[in-house]
Amino acid sequence: MEPDDELYTEKVGQELKSRMAWFKEALQDDAKREELHESIQGSEILIRLEIFLPSDNPEDFVDGLYLYIDNSGQIVDADYYFRNTSDGAITRLNEQDLQVVKDLFQDSFSLEIE
């Protein structure tokens, strides 16, 4: 299914609602909380780094990148965003554009986790 498909959006909404109900139950019941924690298959650190790109009129228009960096310090994904005084949008970079961003920024940031 395509993310903009209405059926897909409805399914995601239903799943989120179900998960939130489960989380709320876990908040109220220690046994359910423990069950939830024990059932989690794993986790991964993913850090979002925001880069503010230069703008001639930052009062009217700003844009930038969200770089998603994994626990090994590699850029694994990126979004481009813009905002003006009345609107804004965000879009995920395609593979070709992501590679350009990786090539440009990968060595610019370091991540140290202890």
Side-chain angles (χ1 to χ4, degrees):
M1 283 184 226
E2 291 294 318
D4 57 356
D5 181 50
E6 191 174 314
L7 184 59
Y8 177 88
T9 302
E10 183 179 328
K11 178 68 174 165
V12 170
Q14 290 171 348
E15 288 299 319
L16 176 59
K17 187 175 182 178
S18 173
R19 292 294 188 179
M20 292 309 298
W22 188 28
F23 293 166
K24 289 175 183 177
E25 288 175 13
L27 282 173
Q28 303 300 318
D29 184 327
D30 288 338
K32 288 185 182 200
R33 182 184 300 211
E34 184 68 26
E35 178 185 337
L36 170 62
H37 284 218
E38 288 179 8
S39 68
I40 293 173
Q41 299 295 313
S43 63
E44 180 180 26
I45 294 173
L46 189 63
I47 297 171
R48 184 181 84 178
L49 176 68
E50 185 174 359
I51 296 177
F52 303 100
L53 297 173
S55 174
D56 290 337
N57 292 318
E59 305 83 28
D60 297 326
F61 175 85
V62 295
D63 66 337
L65 296 168
Y66 293 126
L67 303 181
Y68 300 94
I69 301 171
D70 67 9
N71 55 346
S72 68
Q74 298 299 307
I75 297 171
V76 295
D77 208 349
D79 293 325
Y80 171 77
Y81 71 87
F82 78 89
R83 289 187 291 268
N84 61 26
T85 56
S86 63
D87 206 1
I90 184 170
T91 187
R92 175 160 283 142
L93 271 61
N94 64 37
E95 286 299 319
Q96 184 178 6
D97 293 341
L98 177 60
Q99 189 59 52
V100 170
V101 168
K102 286 180 178 181
D103 292 344
L104 183 60
F105 291 108
Q106 184 59 59
D107 295 333
S108 300
F109 309 103
S110 63
L111 177 65
E112 194 172 312
I113 300 173
E114 292 187 32

